[in-house]
Amino acid sequence: MNYLICLGINLEELKEMVNLNPMLEYLNDKEINDNILFLKSLKCSDTIIKNIIICNPFYLNRSISDLQKLVSKLISIGLTNLNLLFDSNPYLLNKDAFEIDSFIKEKLKLGFNLESIIDLIDSDPYITQEI
């Protein structure tokens, strides 16, 4: 948890995060650091990383391979500036690539075109509730 404190997460915030996600207590520093480095690889600043982790402590339990698949899917459909996307919608990081595919298929059935679906994902921070 040292990496979280280095990000500027205080003890009160850390306690709240553990209350939301008790599995955090079982993560080692390497697992936490790997997930932080993953966000840094997407050009997330320390402030954005802190915001993501405080809002969505479940992110730290995600496997890097699942996160890579999610990012690849989002890039393949044309989303850019993933650092800003995840800052405004940190819960999107809890989704898997197949869930994005399912969401797109559902919206296409409803008559949306791919461009409008991408705009929806990019602009609506509450869209993850539908995915």
Side-chain angles (χ1 to χ4, degrees), residues 14-64:
L14 197 54
K15 285 179 187 176
E16 181 64 28
M17 290 167 53
V18 171
N19 281 338
L20 288 171
N21 180 9
M23 296 305 295
L24 287 180
E25 291 185 303
Y26 303 103
L27 294 176
N28 62 46
D29 279 345
K30 182 186 178 338
E31 292 167 318
I32 291 170
N33 189 47
D34 287 349
N35 282 51
I36 290 170
L37 290 175
F38 181 79
L39 290 174
K40 285 185 184 243
S41 76
L42 299 175
K43 299 186 170 91
C44 292
S45 67
D46 287 349
T47 302
I48 289 173
I49 294 169
K50 178 183 174 185
N51 292 341
I52 289 169
I53 292 171
I54 289 173
C55 290
N56 180 15
F58 299 96
Y59 164 74
L60 293 171
N61 293 98
R62 299 278 292 160
S63 76
I64 298 301

Side-chain angles (χ1 to χ4, degrees), residues 60-78:
L60 293 171
N61 293 98
R62 299 278 292 160
S63 76
I64 298 301
S65 65
D66 286 345
L67 290 166
Q68 289 169 333
K69 290 174 190 171
L70 172 65
V71 165
S72 293
K73 173 52 65 181
L74 295 174
I75 291 170
S76 75
I77 63 171

